[in-house]
Amino acid sequence: MATVKKVLKEDFGLVYPLFVQLNNSISKNHWRQLFTNHWNADEDYFGYALVDNDRAVGYLGLMFSSMIINHKKHKFCNFTSWTVQKDYRSESIKLLFPVLRLRDHTLTSLTMSSDTYFIFKKLGFSDLEDTVVIIPPLPTPESFSNKSQVSVNGQNITHSLEEQNLKLYQDHSNPIVHHILVQTEHEQCLIIATRPIKKNLPFAHLHYISNLNIFMECIEKIRLIVCLRLRATALLVDKRYLQGMKISRSWEYPLPRPRMYKSRNLNKDDITTLYSELMLLNL
C-alpha cells in the first residue's frame, strides 16, 4: 500500500519519471517550472505524491497563488497534473483528500482528462468553461484606425499600468508570456497571452483582459496586430471572458472537456487562467 507524501521543491527528481509518462513532449526544464514558487505564495509545497518503497507511483500537482478580486485578496489552488500508475489507481483518491480540506482556497482544474472530470464532478466541482472563441486576423478599415494604439511586448508598458495590472504583469513576466497594451484617448486595456501550438498551428491564447469594453471597441485592430506580431493563426479566448458579447467573423470551438472550479466566494466570471500551468508550460 502506498503512502501520501507532501511534495517539496527538492522532490522534483522523485516525481519527474511520472511527468515523462504523462507527456514526454514537454522538456524537463519546463516541468521543473511547476516546482518553483513563482508568485510568492504562502504555501511551500507543490502537490502530493503516492510513494511505495521510495518510488513515486502517483502525483497530484498543485500551484498556489492569490489575486485581488473586487478589492479583496483571494487564494487559489490550481491542479496542474494528476497521474497514477495503473497498479495503484485504486488509491488515487488519497491524493485529493488533503486538497479538499483547503476551505479558504478557490480550487481550479484547467486541463482535464475524461477520468478526472468525472471524479471532480462527483466531488462538487462546477464547469468553469466549455468553449473557446477563435478570432482570426481579418483586416477591416477599423484595423487601421488611429483612435487607439496596440503595443505588443512594448518596453515601456509598465510606465502606464495601474497597481493591480502592474502586479499581474510582473507576476507573468517570463519568456513565453506576451503582454499587449491597448490605449485609447482616455482608457487602457492590458491583455496577457501565450502562444501555444495546437494541431500544428500557433495561436495567441488570451488569458486576461483587463477592460472588456476597450477590448471590444478595438477588437479589429487587436486581432490583426497581435496575430501579425506573434505570428499567430488566430486569437483564442475563453467564451466567458466576453460576457455574452459577440465578435464578428469569429466562431466557437468546444473544449474536449470543460475547465472546472470549486469556490465558496467566487463565481466563474471572477476566475481567469492566469497563475496556471497554461502559462508556464505553454499548453
Side-chain angles (χ1 to χ4, degrees):
M1 181 178 293
T3 58
V4 176
K5 169 185 169 58
K6 184 179 285 188
V7 173
L8 305 178
K9 183 174 183 178
E10 55 266 30
D11 295 316
F12 175 72
L14 175 69
V15 300
Y16 175 67
L18 294 172
F19 291 148
V20 176
Q21 296 174 27
L22 185 65
N23 187 333
N24 62 13
S25 66
I26 298 175
S27 72
K28 187 173 185 178
N29 285 336
H30 276 95
W31 281 121
R32 195 184 297 275
Q33 293 297 309
L34 302 184
F35 280 68
T36 299
N37 188 354
H38 294 276
W39 306 301
N40 298 314
D42 296 334
E43 297 77 7
D44 64 351
Y45 62 102
F46 302 94
Y48 291 92
L50 272 179
V51 180
D52 190 10
N53 292 324
D54 297 323
R55 180 174 64 95
V57 296
Y59 176 66
L60 177 64
L62 303 176
M63 185 177 291
F64 294 95
S65 63
S66 63
M67 282 187 71
I68 302 297
I69 300 172
N70 299 325
H71 310 290
K72 183 179 178 181
K73 181 179 178 179
H74 292 268
K75 300 175 75 173
F76 288 82
C77 175
N78 177 57
F79 296 82
T80 63
S81 51
W82 189 8
T83 178
V84 179
Q85 291 186 354
K86 185 177 180 180
D87 291 344
Y88 295 85
R89 296 279 169 82
S90 62
E91 301 182 61
S92 298
I93 199 69
K94 289 181 180 179
L95 294 168
L96 271 177
F97 290 152
V99 187
L100 297 177
R101 292 195 288 267
L102 295 173
R103 304 288 186 181
D104 58 340
H105 288 68
T106 289
L107 307 179
T108 59
S109 184
L110 306 177
T111 49
M112 305 289 296
S113 70
S114 56
D115 291 337
T116 55
Y117 179 77
F118 175 78
I119 293 171
F120 280 37
K121 269 291 190 184
K122 291 291 187 181
L123 292 172
F125 280 66
S126 301
D127 288 357
L128 174 64
E129 185 61 83
D130 60 8
T131 303
V132 294
V133 179
I134 301 174
I135 310 168
L138 302 177
T140 66
E142 291 83 358
S143 304
F144 305 96
S145 168
N146 292 323
K147 294 181 180 180
S148 63
Q149 293 183 333
V150 178
S151 172
V152 181
N153 297 325
Q155 293 183 346
N156 299 319
I157 192 172
T158 59
H159 294 176
S160 59
L161 294 179
E162 42 191 55
E163 183 178 0
Q164 182 174 341
N165 283 334
L166 179 60
K167 183 180 187 304
L168 294 177
Y169 174 91
Q170 293 169 337
D171 285 351
H172 295 88
S173 291
N174 72 62
I176 66 171
V177 177
H178 304 279
H179 303 89
I180 300 104
L181 184 66
V182 184
Q183 189 80 52
T184 65
E185 185 177 358
H186 300 293
E187 293 186 88
Q188 65 177 212
C189 173
L190 175 67
I191 302 168
I192 300 178
T194 54
R195 185 181 178 273
I197 305 297
K198 297 182 179 294
K199 296 187 177 180
N200 297 317
L201 294 173
F203 289 87
H205 187 170
L206 310 187
H207 299 275
Y208 174 74
I209 301 170
S210 71
N211 188 323
L212 181 59
N213 290 331
I214 294 299
F215 177 78
M216 295 300 295
E217 178 183 333
C218 304
I219 184 57
E220 298 303 326
K221 196 167 192 176
I222 293 169
R223 69 199 296 173
L224 180 63
I225 290 179
V226 172
C227 287
L228 287 175
R229 288 292 306 277
L230 298 185
R231 291 179 293 175
T233 304
L235 307 180
L236 296 180
V237 59
D238 283 18
K239 183 180 177 180
R240 72 184 182 287
Y241 286 5
L242 302 180
Q243 298 180 16
M245 298 183 185
K246 300 295 183 182
I247 296 175
S248 64
R249 292 161 294 123
S250 67
W251 67 93
E252 298 179 359
Y253 183 82
L255 293 170
R257 283 160 297 277
R259 314 190 203 281
M260 304 191 79
Y261 79 106
K262 187 174 186 178
S263 180
R264 301 172 70 182
N265 305 303
L266 300 175
N267 60 52
K268 65 173 63 178
D269 292 332
D270 298 318
I271 300 171
T272 72
T273 49
L274 295 176
Y275 300 100
S276 74
E277 74 277 19
L278 298 178
M279 309 297 297
L280 295 179
L281 300 181
N282 204 25
L283 299 176

